[in-house]
Amino acid sequence: MSANLPEEDLSCPVCCEIFQDPVLLPCSHSFCRSCLEHFWESTIFRSCPVCRRRASKKSPPSNRALKNLCEAFLLGRGQGSASGTNILCWRHGEKLKLFCLVDQEPICVVCQASKMHKGHDCSPTEEAALDCKDKMYAAMKVLQCKLEVFNKARQSSAITLEHIKNQANRVERQIKDEFLKLHQFLYEEEEHRLSALKEEEELRVAAVKNRDDDDAQRISFLTDIIRTMEQTINAEDLTLLQNFKAIIDRTCSTLQDPEGMSGSLLDESKHLGNVKYKVWEKMKAVAPYSPVILDPNTAHPCLTLSDNLTSLRYSTPNQGLPSNPERFHISAEVLGCTSFSSASHSWEIQVGDNEDWILGLASDSVKRDQEIPARPENGFWTICLRDGQYRAMSSPPTALKVEEKLQRVSVQLNCDKGEVIFSNPSRQEIIYTFKHVFTEKLLPYFYTQSKHPLQILSKPVLVST
């Protein structure tokens, strides 16, 4: 029905084009919202552009009925274009020979001269089509690259999800194994202590019973003497006198009075005193303390870490690890899980037969996706064994004089003094000392390309009261 309406009835009195978002004033005149707002910006009072009647200060309401009619009219025009007249301007019926670069739409020569496109830059449709194709190809290439990035991100997410599941299963299994060892230790310790208690109970009971048996024999002996004396007292005088000496001699051989048995009771304090602490002391043999724990989320895929995260060795790359930002991606490196920013800390590493290693400390912000020298200017304070020679990775590297092949290396960090000290614990000799003012958190650092492991040694736990 709207397609049969005159175009003038659907045109804005200001721009003379089909209404765009029409609004209705109290005087019943309608205008494009943008045309009306533009008109009011150039006037002191809000009034109708046609009849000059004052309008409300409130935003005028949308003329939904007129908007629907305009949309239906434009849709009818579009359907007419689809039938074969799409090369003609739906407003003026002229051929669409130009492309407005401002409004990004094809127009006719009449549109170019109209108020809507007057002063706009335009170009022939042929040239504009080539330019638009080039821009679309460029935009499509950007989108294709972005699509590839998102596809890779989804692949990475899938690998990460699988790795998290594997991590959870592995960690759960190891936790159960560790607690099973602790349970076994506690069970064996409980059995040992109960056995010791039972053994002491049997010894104490046997001692008391032996004493009781002796007392029973003495009671029987005394009872027999008393009975004999009673019989003698009641006998004839001559019989009494004849047996008197023998009876008196028996009374002289009676035993001394029984004394209390010292130490006959169970030693409860031995079994119960500090029992948890004593068990914990013995537990240190099965529960060693490591001052440094490796962080598997930073380990290069070529490194294999032990189940307790205290040793590392070079091995075949694990292709199932996610490419997370914390991980070293280029060389076989790994960091400790605990960072240091104050106080003093130390740990020892068993290097043994490993002939290719770097040990020390690294800043938390070191680059993980580049291969850079492990030197102070890059955030590393390390020593190494490469090609049979010991070096301090200073700038430039410093050759170290080591009398004998190192089996263990001690690393000591003093944050307050700004020192990193490397020493040989077997000879109590300092190998090298770095001095630096540390401004970042530091993490224990390890590198190796040897199949022989580097082992972080456990430390004794000292308790003071």
Side-chain angles (χ1 to χ4, degrees), residues 277-304:
Y277 172 78
K278 292 176 182 178
V279 172
W280 173 77
E281 272 197 320
K282 293 184 67 175
M283 189 181 291
K284 289 188 292 184
V286 296
Y289 166 74
S290 177
V292 170
I293 300 297
L294 301 175
D295 184 357
N297 293 337
T298 66
H300 186 271
C302 285
L303 291 179
T304 298

Side-chain angles (χ1 to χ4, degrees), residues 399-438:
L400 301 176
K401 294 182 180 180
V402 178
E403 298 296 332
E404 59 184 20
K405 186 177 184 300
L406 294 175
Q407 293 297 314
R408 290 183 295 156
V409 175
S410 174
V411 183
Q412 181 177 352
L413 167 66
N414 191 321
C415 296
D416 300 330
K417 292 184 178 180
E419 293 180 340
V420 179
I421 303 172
F422 296 90
S423 60
N424 180 359
S426 62
R427 302 185 60 158
Q428 299 295 313
E429 292 178 347
I430 293 178
I431 301 173
Y432 192 81
T433 301
F434 285 96
K435 290 185 177 294
H436 188 84
V437 178
F438 302 111

Side-chain angles (χ1 to χ4, degrees), residues 1 47 53 76-77 115 122 136 143 148 203 236 297 301 310 312 347 353 389 397-398 402-403 412 417 435 438 455:
M1 178 175 66
S47 60
R53 180 179 173 181
R77 289 281 190 175
K115 189 174 183 180
C122 299
M136 290 183 70
L143 293 177
E148 185 177 355
L203 289 175
E236 297 290 338
N297 293 337
T310 60
L312 64 147
W347 57 95
D353 296 329
Q389 186 174 5
T398 304
V402 178
E403 298 296 332
Q412 181 177 352
K417 292 184 178 180
K435 290 185 177 294
F438 302 111
Q455 174 70 49

Side-chain angles (χ1 to χ4, degrees), residues 306-434:
S306 62
D307 288 344
N308 62 0
L309 304 178
T310 60
S311 72
L312 64 147
R313 61 181 177 85
Y314 192 81
S315 62
T316 304
N318 186 339
Q319 301 299 331
L321 294 178
S323 181
N324 51 303
E326 302 88 353
R327 191 177 306 283
F328 286 97
H329 302 288
I330 306 300
S331 58
E333 303 164 275
V334 65
L335 297 174
C337 66
T338 303
S339 60
F340 307 125
S341 59
S342 61
S344 296
H345 310 272
S346 64
W347 57 95
E348 289 186 13
I349 304 98
Q350 181 84 31
V351 295
D353 296 329
N354 192 308
E355 300 285 348
D356 189 359
W357 50 260
I358 305 176
L359 304 172
L361 288 143
S363 298
D364 187 36
S365 62
V366 293
K367 299 184 183 301
R368 318 288 174 92
D369 57 353
Q370 300 179 20
E371 186 172 8
I372 55 177
R375 299 179 185 173
E377 64 267 23
N378 298 322
F380 297 88
W381 294 267
T382 61
I383 65 171
C384 74
L385 172 59
R386 304 296 298 274
D387 302 323
Q389 186 174 5
Y390 296 99
R391 297 184 183 91
M393 297 297 286
S394 52
S395 299
T398 304
L400 301 176
K401 294 182 180 180
V402 178
E403 298 296 332
E404 59 184 20
K405 186 177 184 300
L406 294 175
Q407 293 297 314
R408 290 183 295 156
V409 175
S410 174
V411 183
Q412 181 177 352
L413 167 66
N414 191 321
C415 296
D416 300 330
K417 292 184 178 180
E419 293 180 340
V420 179
I421 303 172
F422 296 90
S423 60
N424 180 359
S426 62
R427 302 185 60 158
Q428 299 295 313
E429 292 178 347
I430 293 178
I431 301 173
Y432 192 81
T433 301
F434 285 96

